[in-house]
Amino acid sequence: MKQKFTFNLFVRTLLLAAVVFGPVALIAQWTNVGRAGFNAGMASYTSIALDKKGKAFVAFSDSSTAYKAGVMRFDTSHWVNVGPASISPGKAVGVSFALDTANRPFIAFGDSSGTGRLSVMKYNPGTNTWSLVANNISTGPVYKGTSTVIDKHNNLYVAYTDMGDTGKIVVKKYNGSVFSVLYTTPGKGYYPSLVLNKANDTVYLGFKDQFNGGKGSVVNVISKTYVGAGGFTPDAANYTSIATDTGDVLHLAFQDSITGGSGVMKFSGGSWIALGNPSFSSGTVTYTSIAISRGDTVFVAYSDTSGYATVMEYNGTGWSGVGAAGFSAGPVSYVSLVVDTLGHPYIAYSDGGNISKITVMEYVCSSPYVPAVVFDSSVCLGNQATLSIATSSLNGSLQWQWYTGSCGGTLVDSTLPSEIIVSPIVNTTYYVRGTG
């Protein structure tokens, strides 16, 4: 069980005093967002996104509607349909979606009514309906998923493996009126994953690159060039998932086909380097998904070697568990991960513990109480202060992690003892939780 202790350290420039007000301890744990298994039937291709207000949306295909696509959002206490329960003309495969600047969902999928070819739909909030933006716009059936992003100008980008184009990945742009092809991979490609550069809306594609031995590659879709070397992962890669941090540094998560473990590599200094242990998970994983907080904490979710949901985070020197390993009610598939503005990860998946319906969970803090927190009674501006926890336990966790900004925000220190030394120069809130 994880714990977070919050207290404010106010440093005065004239008075040589640091005062701690209202220490509060919270237990951090994975908690259901609404009801577990909340949709009607067995779900596939689950995908989660958060709007500007932090409200969660999920897109998926649902067995109760002959596997047509649906979208739901969390409304304070329960999940509600966004428009009708089923929105696609036929069975939907490879579902992905994104929200535009007005929080309007767009969804992309392979549509069985069009022999599996790509269709894109948009939500019309005024009438609570969905309409086709375009249908049957791929050469052949869509295979192994799609990926969709929308930039700040509301241009939509969608990537998909087109079996009508010898299994190559195609990236198309929709400018509000027409679709155009931006990029096609030189060879077959699978597990497409798109991300936007926050500074200038450059689009990057991460994928399993058969042109480079099935290893992971990242391409700048605008310049049509590889970022660093093509095929940079140690071995062939599956379940590729891409993200950028606040500095727009690219990170690619994947399953290593030889070890079966999860790995993350980032682009730094003109080359791709492993983030910590090249294969940091325990055993074989599937359905890897990456997300990065505003404090640049890297999170990776996956279905672990037992098939259950596990989330890991990189603390600057190594990987540790976020909550307990295998925290889901049953085996999971179609894992999708996002992080909110406070640094809290959300995970959505098809939940084998709930008849393969969708479950969404958030890693949050709850059950407040006041612990005994020990601190230096006085400190000069910029000088050192010792913060420690007098009455607490790691409760099975491996180490304490201290943050500023939020729980899981900017990492200050990782330590086994429940004590750190800080030198604050402005009003600072410190957080600490047990991890691993």
Side-chain angles (χ1 to χ4, degrees):
M1 193 171 291
K2 316 303 179 192
Q3 295 182 318
K4 183 185 86 172
F5 299 85
T6 305
F7 45 91
N8 293 308
L9 181 62
F10 296 92
V11 181
R12 298 175 181 267
T13 58
L14 297 178
L15 299 178
L16 304 183
V19 184
V20 176
F21 292 95
V24 176
L26 302 172
I27 299 172
Q29 58 189 353
W30 287 101
T31 303
N32 288 328
V33 178
R35 177 171 56 87
F38 55 81
N39 66 305
M42 293 184 292
S44 303
Y45 305 108
T46 51
S47 179
I48 187 171
L50 302 177
D51 70 11
K52 292 179 179 178
K53 296 181 179 179
K55 290 186 177 180
F57 288 71
V58 291
F60 54 96
S61 67
D62 192 314
S63 66
S64 71
T65 59
Y67 290 101
K68 293 182 179 181
V71 175
M72 301 182 76
R73 65 177 173 85
F74 187 65
D75 187 12
T76 307
S77 61
H78 61 285
W79 291 88
V80 297
N81 290 316
V82 179
S86 63
I87 60 178
S88 58
K91 177 181 177 180
V93 299
V95 177
S96 66
F97 83 118
L99 304 171
D100 69 9
T101 57
N103 289 329
R104 180 173 58 174
F106 284 70
I107 186 170
F109 54 92
D111 185 3
S112 67
S113 70
T115 62
R117 289 180 289 176
L118 183 73
S119 291
V120 177
M121 300 184 73
K122 67 179 180 181
Y123 177 62
N124 306 300
T127 57
N128 195 32
T129 60
W130 288 80
S131 58
L132 280 166
V133 174
N135 66 329
N136 302 332
I137 59 173
S138 58
T139 306
V142 169
Y143 181 67
K144 282 194 181 297
T146 65
S147 181
T148 306
V149 294
I150 298 176
D151 69 20
K152 57 179 173 285
H153 303 292
N154 284 330
N155 296 305
L156 179 146
Y157 304 86
V158 59
Y160 57 93
T161 296
D162 192 338
M163 298 310 292
D165 193 4
T166 65
K168 295 179 180 180
I169 293 177
V170 179
V171 181
K172 288 186 175 180
K173 175 183 177 180
Y174 177 66
N175 64 4
S177 57
V178 296
F179 277 89
S180 58
V181 176
L182 287 185
Y183 179 74
T184 302
T185 56
K188 293 180 180 180
Y190 304 107
Y191 306 110
S193 181
L194 292 176
V195 71
L196 291 165
N197 178 297
K198 301 175 185 65
N200 57 22
D201 282 341
T202 298
V203 186
Y204 295 95
L205 168 70
F207 64 106
K208 178 184 177 73
D209 186 359
Q210 293 299 123
F211 187 74
N212 283 285
K215 295 184 176 183
S217 291
V218 173
V219 165
N220 181 326
V221 170
I222 306 303
S223 66
K224 299 177 175 57
T225 57
Y226 282 106
V227 178
F232 56 80
T233 57
D235 304 301
N238 300 314
Y239 303 104
T240 47
S241 179
I242 195 170
T244 58
D245 64 16
T246 55
D248 284 320
V249 175
L250 290 161
H251 294 67
L252 186 74
F254 54 93
Q255 180 230 49
D256 187 294
S257 65
I258 300 299
T259 67
S262 180
V264 173
M265 300 187 73
K266 73 173 184 178
F267 190 67
S268 178
S271 62
W272 289 92
I273 60 174
L275 198 65
N277 190 326
S279 184
F280 57 82
S281 61
S282 177
T284 299
V285 306
T286 55
Y287 299 104
T288 51
S289 181
I290 189 173
I292 303 177
S293 75
R294 289 188 175 182
D296 287 339
T297 299
V298 180
F299 295 91
V300 175
Y302 49 79
S303 174
D304 65 20
T305 190
S306 298
Y308 288 69
T310 292
V311 177
M312 304 283 285
E313 65 179 339
Y314 185 71
N315 60 22
T317 58
W319 291 91
S320 58
V322 179
F327 56 81
S328 56
V332 303
S333 57
Y334 301 107
V335 175
S336 181
L337 182 70
V338 293
V339 182
D340 70 12
T341 56
L342 297 176
H344 299 154
Y346 287 72
I347 183 173
Y349 50 84
S350 177
D351 185 357
N354 286 281
I355 326 174
S356 294
K357 296 181 179 182
I358 301 170
T359 293
V360 173
M361 301 188 78
E362 177 191 9
Y363 192 67
V364 294
C365 299
S366 58
S367 305
Y369 69 96
V370 180
V373 179
V374 180
F375 57 94
D376 288 350
S377 59
S378 64
V379 59
C380 294
L381 179 66
N383 284 3
Q384 292 183 339
T386 300
L387 309 177
S388 61
I389 306 162
T391 56
S392 66
S393 170
L394 278 169
N395 293 329
S397 297
L398 299 181
Q399 64 180 352
W400 295 106
Q401 288 190 338
W402 298 76
Y403 301 90
T404 58
S406 67
C407 185
T410 301
L411 183 68
V412 176
D413 197 5
S414 296
T415 178
L416 183 58
S418 55
E419 177 180 291
I420 61 168
I421 297 174
V422 296
S423 301
I425 58 173
V426 296
N427 292 349
T428 305
T429 302
Y430 291 93
Y431 302 77
V432 61
R433 71 184 182 192
T435 62

